[in-house]
Amino acid sequence: MASVIRPVAFVIAVLAFLFANPVIDLGLTEYVPPGLRNLPRTLKVLGVFRRATSTAIVDPAEFVVIKDTVHCEDLHYHEASNLLFTACEGTEATRFSRGSLHVIDPETMKAQKLELVGFDGPFVTHGIDVISDPVRSAGEAVYIFAINHLPHPDVHGQTHSQLEIFYHEIRSGSARHIRSVWDPAITTPNDVVALSPTSVLVTNDHYHATGRWREFEDVSGHKWTGTVHLQLARLDGAASAQDGVMASVALAPMHNNNGIGHGRSRDEVLVVECVSGVLNIGHVEEKTGKATIKIDHSLFYDSTIDNPSFFRDPYSNSTFDGSAYLAPGLTRAVDIHASVTHDPATRPPIPVMIWRTKRVPTSSADKPEWKTELLFEDDGTRLDSVAAAVQVAIDPAQEDGRRRAWLFATGFVSRNVVAIKVDI
Ligand SMILES: *[C@@H]1O[C@H](CO)[C@@H](O)[C@H](O)[C@H]1NC(C)=O
């Protein structure tokens, strides 16, 4: 979830503008928080002067609301099984208590809640990842990794967040809990990418877990967060969440390191700096049980950016490839604090923007060119907040040869996952 901003932060921002302005040069730039050295960009990303608008959908058949998908914060497309996986909070009443994993079939547009086997504890979901079991045929079974913001056993109002690993036989209707994973390096986890069933990247999105300092951190742009790598010595038979876990820093320092996703190749990862509006494309280097991320390219967007995804166009040919990076964000992150702390029954809707970036073919592999477009916008009436967006290609034979896809999107307080038919 993108975070918050308050008047106090604005005062700081204005002071920073004075101190960091190249025209009013007081020589104090080095004391100014990094995110405030370019205040016009910060204000643009937060949407301070932006109005919400909605993309027109002419044919009502091109907009589908998927039932039984309340407050699903993360969403993944598993290509081998042609299914989407999402982590939801079940009903509006149960958010922050018992979450669930759902599978969505893009052919029928129906969601099925998975029965969780061998898992009774609280489940407060956030980011997830889904990878094929490497020892089975593709599309037979998957590992599901899910951040779980457990209530702290000793301190009321605080969380003791960990990672849960489940195993799911495709179309079985259930997911078996394999183990929980915790290490002191997991502090404010947000999202997860599994490189293999025993090698996992987890982002920590804040240094300050709560309160004013958390808000300051969002706005100031301080790089106080990062991604950790967890190497697991075993999956089955772990004696505790900490059993056989080796943690190391994979990427730091980052600002508000939020979503993380798989890229276009096995070693490519997408790492987001949410309130900075930056999607970093990097590659993983793994050796002796440690993985580090090297950033190769940074894409800058005009809004905050949450969980990124890469769409591989399965129908690409020598002249057309619709493959693209998707980056969902908030139109007015500046309002988010007021929105999420408001009474849920009467709070204003949270408008959204979903961006799509294609890599333009060039002669130089090191210096790619990028083409970014605003794929979908909504004022919050059809899609109330967004945290994740993925595309699923439609067979051109079903579309008179047109190259189209379903864009699935969901948010941390959205009532449903929605699907919009788009050109690719
Ligand atoms: C590739 O696909 C595009 C879009 O469907 C189509 O216009 C084009 O003719 C195709 N090219 C080839 C070489 O098949």
Side-chain angles (χ1 to χ4, degrees):
M1 188 201 299
S3 214
V4 285
I5 177 170
R6 279 193 182 166
V8 62
F10 260 118
V11 172
I12 294 165
V14 170
L15 292 175
F17 178 68
L18 292 173
F19 288 137
N21 192 315
V23 181
I24 315 165
D25 186 5
L26 302 176
L28 296 170
T29 306
E30 65 183 288
Y31 301 105
V32 175
L36 302 183
R37 286 178 203 159
N38 188 348
L39 194 65
R41 170 157 170 86
T42 304
L43 296 177
K44 184 189 270 184
V45 170
L46 293 171
V48 174
F49 307 114
R50 185 158 45 215
R51 276 168 188 241
T53 37
S54 298
T55 307
I57 297 174
V58 180
D59 181 353
E62 300 193 342
F63 180 81
V64 179
V65 174
I66 295 166
K67 290 199 186 72
D68 189 25
T69 51
V70 178
H71 293 170
C72 303
E73 175 142 357
D74 200 6
L75 183 64
H76 282 260
Y77 176 58
H78 182 247
E79 205 178 319
S81 61
N82 189 33
L83 293 170
L84 296 130
F85 290 81
T86 183
C88 311
E89 292 300 343
T91 67
E92 304 237 12
T94 60
R95 179 155 160 90
F96 309 121
S97 58
R98 183 65 188 180
S100 53
L101 300 171
H102 290 231
V103 179
I104 299 169
D105 184 337
E107 302 292 333
T108 62
M109 295 291 184
K110 289 205 162 51
Q112 183 189 23
K113 182 176 168 176
L114 297 181
E115 183 200 344
L116 302 182
V117 178
F119 184 72
D120 305 316
F123 193 24
V124 183
T125 60
H126 203 164
I128 61 165
D129 195 21
V130 180
I131 58 163
S132 296
D133 179 352
V135 304
R136 303 274 297 271
S137 300
E140 272 185 14
V142 291
Y143 285 95
I144 304 172
F145 296 77
I147 303 291
N148 184 6
H149 295 299
L150 283 180
H152 197 284
D154 307 318
V155 191
H156 179 72
Q158 282 193 18
T159 53
H160 175 83
S161 306
Q162 60 183 27
L163 186 67
E164 310 293 353
I165 307 180
F166 298 91
Y167 192 75
H168 168 65
E169 304 266 352
I170 294 297
R171 301 205 180 264
S172 68
S174 66
R176 180 167 54 86
H177 189 239
I178 303 275
R179 69 168 292 179
S180 303
V181 177
W182 188 78
D183 183 274
I186 304 177
T187 51
T188 54
N190 182 305
D191 201 7
V192 49
V193 151
L195 303 168
S196 81
T198 52
S199 173
V200 190
L201 297 164
V202 174
T203 59
N204 285 313
D205 60 6
H206 286 84
Y207 178 75
H208 298 280
T210 53
R212 286 260 149 99
W213 279 101
R214 183 181 163 108
E215 294 160 25
F216 172 76
E217 181 183 346
D218 283 338
V219 178
S220 72
H222 277 108
K223 291 177 183 282
W224 285 342
T225 66
T227 302
V228 295
H229 175 251
L230 305 169
Q231 186 70 39
L232 310 178
R234 64 192 65 84
L235 285 174
D236 289 306
S240 70
Q242 262 188 281
D243 186 13
V245 181
M246 190 177 84
S248 57
V249 175
L251 179 64
M254 301 282 277
H255 175 230
N256 188 210
N257 195 175
N258 181 302
I260 186 166
H262 294 275
R264 63 176 185 157
S265 59
R266 194 199 163 271
D267 72 344
E268 188 178 282
V269 285
L270 315 177
V271 198
V272 157
E273 293 174 277
C274 176
V275 182
S276 285
V278 179
L279 167 55
N280 299 289
I281 302 175
H283 68 277
V284 176
E285 292 177 0
E286 267 186 290
K287 49 180 168 234
T288 62
K290 290 186 181 170
T292 50
I293 301 169
K294 299 280 179 318
I295 294 176
D296 300 311
H297 314 285
S298 295
L299 307 179
F300 291 78
Y301 294 87
D302 287 352
S303 71
T304 56
I305 295 300
D306 216 316
N307 298 348
S309 70
F310 177 73
F311 165 71
R312 190 188 72 83
D313 180 2
Y315 301 102
S316 67
N317 63 25
S318 58
T319 57
F320 180 83
D321 184 353
S323 299
Y325 299 89
L326 297 181
L330 301 180
T331 313
R332 292 184 52 83
V334 63
D335 295 337
I336 192 69
H337 181 74
S339 299
V340 294
T341 54
H342 209 276
D343 174 6
T346 56
R347 70 166 170 79
I350 299 172
V352 303
M353 302 175 111
I354 300 174
W355 306 88
R356 181 168 70 187
T357 301
K358 286 184 186 158
R359 193 180 169 126
V360 182
T362 55
S363 50
S364 162
D366 298 335
K367 287 217 166 57
E369 285 171 28
W370 309 94
K371 191 167 148 282
T372 293
E373 63 190 314
L374 186 55
L375 180 60
F376 180 74
E377 281 188 276
D378 196 63
D379 63 4
T381 2
R382 295 172 300 185
L383 177 59
D384 191 1
S385 80
V386 74
V390 299
Q391 275 184 172
V392 179
I394 303 171
D395 185 346
Q398 292 176 17
E399 296 284 338
D400 298 327
R402 262 175 95 181
R403 298 306 327 280
R404 308 199 83 192
W406 285 106
L407 167 69
F408 289 85
T410 186
F412 38 92
V413 289
S414 60
R415 289 175 305 278
N416 299 89
V417 175
V418 296
I420 306 118
K421 206 183 260 190
V422 295
D423 290 329
I424 64 170

